[in-house]
Amino acid sequence: MPENDIELGQSPSKSKSEEPRVDTSEPESFYRDANTTKEDKDGSSRESSKEDPPTKPSIPPRTQKPQSRSSVDMDDNESKNLKAEHRNLKKECDETRQELRSAWRENKEQSLELRDLKKHNAHLKETIRAQADPKSYKDQIMSERRKFYEHVDMLDDHIAHLKHQLEKTKLHMDQLTFQTREANEEKAAYENKLQTLQKQNARLNEDLTECRDDILRLQPPSQIPDSKIAEEYSSLYQQIASWVDDEADDTQSMEARLTDLATDKEAPELLRAYLDPDLIRLTKKYSDAEPLVLRYIIQLHLHRVILADDTYLFGLDEHNITMLRSVEHAMEALEPKRDTLTIQRWRSETLQALAKIDGFQSEQQRQATIVSKDLWAALTYLLPELTTDGKSGWKRLHETVTSPAVQLATNMRFSTSCYRIIAHLPRSSSASPGHSNVIYHPDIQRYTILDVATQKVLRQDSVLKVAEDGRIGEHVMVLQPLLLRMQRDTHGGIALCKPTVAIKLDEPMAKRAKGVRALGALSSWFGGEQEPTRS
């Protein structure tokens, strides 16, 4: 056996690194033959033609006679023979290449077999070396066996650890399964409880809705406070004064129009109804009283058309007003008998519902536009210069004056309280019979009094000539009527806004004396007088 191994290998001392390298690459001639192009293939035919070139027929000179037909046929036969030889050579070349490739594959297989034989030879050498030194071989075997047993023990320990972990995992899974089962049972109990609570909640919501409806039926509707009504009322008359100051700043032509009012057939009936001869004479006497007359005309027309006490709701037609009032009278005859407050609550809710209807809003806006245009026509008669603004003039009057008046009237009707606007001046407690237009000094606290001559507001400390009975003058016109909230139990009312009246003083207001005054004196360090602030 060793002898055969030695014969296979050259010497037992050679290592694996000295083994001859097996050449598995293809021969260059193969690639050269494989990459040969068609031109190279045709080269053999050209070489063969070079070795035995065909004889070219010589060109006979002009004087020479042309060749015969038999010589031309010979040249054609030679050309055909050469082409046949070229095809045969090409075929033989291809066969040779195929044989070369087969030989290269056989060479490669033999080289691989040679490499395997060399590996086997090296293994046999190692076996011979181990048999030559049996002690070291035994030690090696024992070492390998010891390593194997150690690896087996390690695997046994790992298996035991995994079994222990498996037991723990199973125990944990059992606990989780038990907890999941308990959680599912609790979840089912909570779901049942939740359904019960939902049913109870639904019943309670139904009871709450019924209670809320009962409360809404019992409680009064939302009440508009008196402060808001008073604020809108004061703001309306301030806007009237502002509009007159802005639009009618030049009133020189108004005197001639007022003079012709009684005889001019084209004068608006609205002015004839509002302006009496006393007011016309007043404007002739006091040239600064013309803006006050315009304010008086505007407020009187708004009061009679929009803010009148007998107006059920501005914008509502007479048919519906008659029907609603009939319902109110019928409610008084019901059993149990409805009191006044209940009827007023019903009226408030009904009117608020009507105001939400688009048709009513359109009708209310249409009637308000008619009021603005009628008032604008009367004012432009007195002041022709207002017509220079064209059609946009009445729109400013509508936005500034008429629309706020309509909103005020609507809010007053929405309230359950009863409001009244007193357009005439209430009789003074100090007035004697037959002197209803007389203004007395104590009335300065009850009214806002404006002097026609100076257009100044009278104050308690104003220097006035007071008669023995307290008379200071007589009132000419009411610029802002009195606003009252009527009381249900009594016939009286609570004043929310004081009236503003224009008066004609019996004697002109005197100037204040310089220096320190006994009442309300406001003097500077240098002795100058400071006018009191108007209220």
Side-chain angles (χ1 to χ4, degrees):
M1 181 67 182
E3 292 178 358
N4 296 333
D5 293 338
I6 292 171
E7 288 179 357
L8 292 171
Q10 294 180 1
S11 63
S13 62
K14 286 185 179 181
S15 61
K16 295 180 181 180
S17 62
E18 296 178 356
E19 293 178 359
R21 184 176 179 181
V22 178
D23 187 8
T24 59
S25 61
E26 296 182 354
E28 295 180 357
S29 60
F30 173 75
Y31 292 105
R32 190 184 304 116
D33 296 338
N35 295 328
T36 303
T37 60
K38 185 177 181 180
E39 295 178 356
D40 296 336
K41 293 178 180 179
D42 297 339
S44 60
S45 61
R46 288 197 298 268
E47 289 176 359
S48 61
S49 62
K50 286 181 182 180
E51 293 175 358
D52 193 7
T55 56
K56 293 183 179 180
S58 60
I59 300 173
R62 292 183 179 177
T63 56
Q64 191 176 1
K65 294 182 180 180
Q67 293 182 353
S68 62
R69 184 179 184 88
S70 59
S71 60
V72 174
D73 294 337
M74 290 177 62
D75 293 337
D76 293 336
N77 294 330
E78 290 178 0
S79 176
K80 291 180 181 180
N81 294 331
L82 290 174
K83 289 180 180 180
E85 291 178 1
H86 178 264
R87 284 195 298 270
N88 295 332
L89 290 174
K90 185 178 180 181
K91 184 176 181 181
E92 292 177 0
C93 182
D94 294 336
E95 293 176 355
T96 305
R97 287 196 186 98
Q98 293 293 334
E99 293 177 358
L100 182 59
R101 290 193 187 94
S102 301
W104 180 81
R105 292 193 192 95
E106 292 177 359
N107 187 17
K108 185 176 180 181
E109 293 175 358
Q110 291 177 1
S111 298
L112 294 174
E113 291 178 359
L114 179 60
R115 185 184 60 185
D116 295 338
L117 289 174
K118 288 181 177 180
K119 289 181 179 179
H120 183 65
N121 189 17
H123 179 67
L124 291 177
K125 287 180 180 179
E126 292 295 332
T127 304
I128 293 170
R129 192 179 295 113
Q131 291 178 358
D133 191 0
K135 185 176 181 181
S136 59
Y137 180 73
K138 185 177 181 181
D139 294 340
Q140 184 179 1
I141 294 298
M142 292 299 294
S143 175
E144 294 293 336
R145 185 179 296 171
R146 186 165 50 253
K147 290 179 181 179
F148 174 75
Y149 287 151
E150 289 176 356
H151 185 67
V152 171
D153 293 339
M154 183 179 65
L155 291 176
D156 291 337
D157 295 338
H158 185 63
I159 291 171
H161 176 70
L162 292 177
K163 288 181 178 180
H164 181 67
Q165 290 295 115
L166 180 62
E167 293 295 331
K168 290 176 63 177
T169 304
K170 288 182 179 180
L171 181 61
H172 185 62
M173 287 295 296
D174 294 337
Q175 293 177 355
L176 291 177
T177 303
F178 179 74
Q179 293 177 1
T180 304
R181 189 181 299 108
E182 290 183 347
N184 289 332
E185 293 176 356
E186 292 179 358
K187 178 183 176 182
Y190 282 129
E191 287 178 352
N192 295 330
K193 188 175 181 181
L194 178 61
Q195 293 178 358
T196 304
L197 293 176
Q198 286 178 348
K199 293 179 181 179
Q200 294 178 0
N201 189 23
R203 288 195 297 269
L204 292 176
N205 285 332
E206 293 177 358
D207 296 340
L208 179 61
T209 303
E210 293 179 0
C211 293
R212 189 184 294 111
D213 294 339
D214 294 338
I215 292 173
L216 291 176
R217 283 191 292 268
L218 293 174
Q219 72 179 6
S222 58
Q223 176 66 29
I224 300 176
D226 294 341
S227 58
K228 183 178 180 180
I229 299 294
E231 181 181 357
E232 292 181 357
Y233 186 80
S234 300
S235 176
L236 172 62
Y237 289 96
Q238 290 175 5
Q239 289 174 335
I240 293 174
S242 299
W243 185 88
V244 171
D245 294 339
D246 295 340
E247 300 292 336
D249 52 351
D250 185 10
T251 58
Q252 294 179 358
S253 61
M254 183 174 172
E255 183 178 353
R257 292 283 186 169
L258 289 174
T259 303
D260 301 336
L261 183 62
T263 59
D264 190 1
K265 296 182 179 180
E266 297 181 356
E269 293 295 333
L270 183 148
L271 296 178
R272 293 175 181 173
Y274 297 157
L275 295 178
D276 54 11
D278 294 336
L279 285 177
I280 296 175
R281 286 192 296 270
L282 181 69
T283 56
K284 291 181 179 180
K285 184 177 181 180
Y286 303 104
S287 59
D288 294 337
E290 293 170 351
L292 300 180
V293 174
L294 293 176
R295 290 172 57 182
Y296 172 73
I297 293 172
I298 294 173
Q299 72 86 12
L300 190 61
H301 186 65
L302 293 179
H303 176 260
R304 292 186 178 182
V305 177
I306 298 176
L307 298 171
D309 295 335
D310 57 350
T311 302
Y312 194 83
L313 180 63
F314 180 77
L316 195 62
D317 59 288
E318 290 296 331
H319 174 73
N320 288 322
I321 292 175
T322 304
M323 182 185 65
L324 292 175
R325 283 179 175 170
S326 301
V327 172
E328 291 182 10
H329 291 308
M331 290 177 67
E332 296 177 356
L334 293 177
E335 294 295 338
K337 188 176 181 180
R338 269 61 170 176
D339 56 359
T340 305
L341 180 59
T342 302
I343 296 175
Q344 289 176 349
R345 288 175 180 174
W346 176 85
R347 181 195 303 132
S348 175
E349 291 181 349
T350 304
L351 295 182
Q352 290 182 30
L354 283 174
K356 298 294 184 180
I357 302 174
D358 295 337
F360 170 77
Q361 295 176 1
S362 301
E363 179 64 19
Q364 188 181 58
Q365 185 65 24
R366 187 187 68 82
Q367 295 186 18
T369 303
I370 294 174
V371 173
S372 298
K373 290 182 178 180
D374 293 343
L375 187 58
W376 176 256
L379 296 175
T380 52
Y381 176 81
L382 296 176
L383 299 173
E385 59 269 13
L386 292 178
T387 58
T388 56
D389 293 338
K391 296 182 179 180
S392 62
W394 73 268
K395 292 183 179 179
R396 289 200 300 271
L397 178 66
H398 179 80
E399 294 175 357
T400 308
V401 177
T402 310
S403 293
V406 172
Q407 184 64 37
L408 173 63
T410 304
N411 289 335
M412 291 171 63
R413 298 300 179 265
F414 284 170
S415 176
T416 56
S417 300
C418 181
Y419 298 97
R420 288 191 62 190
I421 297 176
I422 310 300
H424 61 275
L425 189 65
R427 181 180 177 84
S428 175
S429 60
S430 303
S432 58
H435 296 83
S436 58
N437 293 338
V438 177
I439 300 297
Y440 297 90
H441 193 270
D443 293 336
I444 297 177
Q445 296 180 348
R446 300 174 58 200
Y447 313 141
T448 301
I449 301 177
L450 190 68
D451 182 18
V452 174
T454 61
Q455 295 191 10
K456 291 184 178 180
V457 178
L458 302 186
R459 303 175 63 88
Q460 283 291 114
D461 56 352
S462 298
V463 181
L464 302 172
K465 184 178 179 179
V466 183
E468 293 181 358
D469 59 351
R471 171 182 171 136
I472 59 175
E474 62 180 15
H475 98 275
V476 179
M477 66 188 85
V478 178
L479 300 178
Q480 175 178 325
L482 172 66
L483 176 64
L484 294 176
R485 179 175 63 81
M486 307 306 294
Q487 295 179 343
R488 297 186 181 89
D489 299 335
T490 61
H491 296 287
I494 299 174
L496 300 180
C497 291
K498 294 193 302 182
T500 301
V501 296
I503 70 170
K504 181 175 64 174
L505 294 174
D506 294 337
E507 294 292 337
M509 198 167 31
K511 295 183 179 180
R512 300 177 185 274
K514 294 184 179 180
V516 180
R517 293 165 293 179
L519 293 175
L522 296 173
S523 58
S524 65
W525 180 264
F526 298 101
E529 185 178 4
Q530 179 179 354
E531 290 293 333
T533 306
R534 291 185 179 182
S535 58

